[in-house]
Amino acid sequence: MNTMIGPAKKRLQVLSIFAILFITVQGFAQKPADPKLDKMPVALETDYALSSLPPQLRPGATIYLLDPAKGYYIARKGSNGFICFVMRTAWEWAEFRNDVVTAMSYDAEGTRVIFPIYMDVAAMRASGKFTALQVRNIVIDRIKKGIYKAPARPGVSYMLAPVMRTYPATPAEHKVLTMQMPHYMFYAPYITNDDIGNIPNGQADGPFLVNPEAMFLGKRKAPYGYIIVPAGEKERAKIVADNKALLKRLADYKAFLK
């Protein structure tokens, strides 16, 4: 009797193991793939990217557009040292989404030392060879090794587009919002909100500091901080009014940009 129970128990154990493995494999197989970015219509992406800049800088700016299968490419070579583009992947949050859409620009210094990160992140995502977490880890590692450097001088990133959809908080939170918040970003490597008197920390009722990678690199070790100065109420109203047609085109393109 006992000699028959042993093999029976073993068979049940083997069957149980196979059942667990099958369920596990099925679970992996049913995991949704990372959302694929679509290609924005060229004219829309161009006009939206340019809207991040003040009007006087747009004619001479270099325009980068995004090919979701390859990364950023130059659509128009400029002459004034400024670039503009549409950011689709916020690497600090370590997730690939298709509903992050934000027009950005950089001056010559930001183009030299900050924009390469956006280019590399877009290329890594496009390759399909990296997870979002791997991309973040690679960027953080390159910052620590000095491959990605801090701006060598003060400078500005204009973000004067009439709408943006991105993360309003730190990488600890993963909610995205559609916002009408045209603003100016001034390079502020390694400083904190305390340094600029923005207390409580990060209060957004005046100039404030944004530096998401500080969460991973530590206080005063993150080179890509920005002092944010929101556009004034009248300026913001004018930007929205002047871009009424663009706002409609963006809303028609993606409902989440309404």
Side-chain angles (χ1 to χ4, degrees), residues 173-244:
E173 301 178 42
H174 288 262
K175 182 179 181 179
V176 298
L177 293 177
T178 299
M179 298 169 277
Q180 288 186 337
M181 196 192 118
H183 58 278
Y184 303 85
M185 306 201 305
F186 300 96
Y187 309 142
Y190 308 115
I191 72 172
T192 69
N193 271 296
D194 291 340
D195 294 326
I196 64 171
N198 189 253
I199 303 167
N201 193 36
Q203 181 172 289
D205 58 355
F208 60 98
L209 189 76
V210 168
N211 194 347
E213 64 270 13
M215 180 174 168
F216 313 104
L217 291 163
K219 194 174 183 179
R220 301 195 185 282
K221 294 182 180 180
Y224 304 118
Y226 302 91
I227 294 175
I228 308 294
V229 180
E233 186 177 345
K234 290 183 179 179
E235 183 184 11
R236 181 176 60 190
K238 186 177 187 307
I239 287 171
V240 171
D242 289 348
N243 287 280
K244 186 176 180 180

Side-chain angles (χ1 to χ4, degrees), residues 106-118:
Y106 281 106
D107 64 6
E109 182 63 8
T111 299
R112 183 180 74 86
V113 298
I114 303 176
F115 183 60
I117 299 177
Y118 289 97

Side-chain angles (χ1 to χ4, degrees), residues 1 21 40 52 59 116 133 142 144 151-152 161 164 174 190 201-202 237 240-241 253:
M1 176 74 96
L21 287 174
M40 287 185 74
S52 65
L133 181 58
R142 290 177 182 176
K144 289 178 178 178
M164 64 178 181
H174 288 262
Y190 308 115
N201 193 36
V240 171
Y253 166 62

Side-chain angles (χ1 to χ4, degrees), residues 129-140:
K129 297 177 181 178
F130 304 90
T131 66
L133 181 58
Q134 286 173 328
V135 169
R136 183 172 75 186
N137 289 341
I138 288 168
V139 173
I140 293 296

Side-chain angles (χ1 to χ4, degrees), residues 85-99:
F85 63 101
V86 178
M87 184 269 289
R88 304 289 300 274
T89 305
W91 62 266
E92 296 96 331
W93 277 261
E95 62 180 359
F96 291 150
R97 301 177 64 127
N98 58 14
D99 63 341

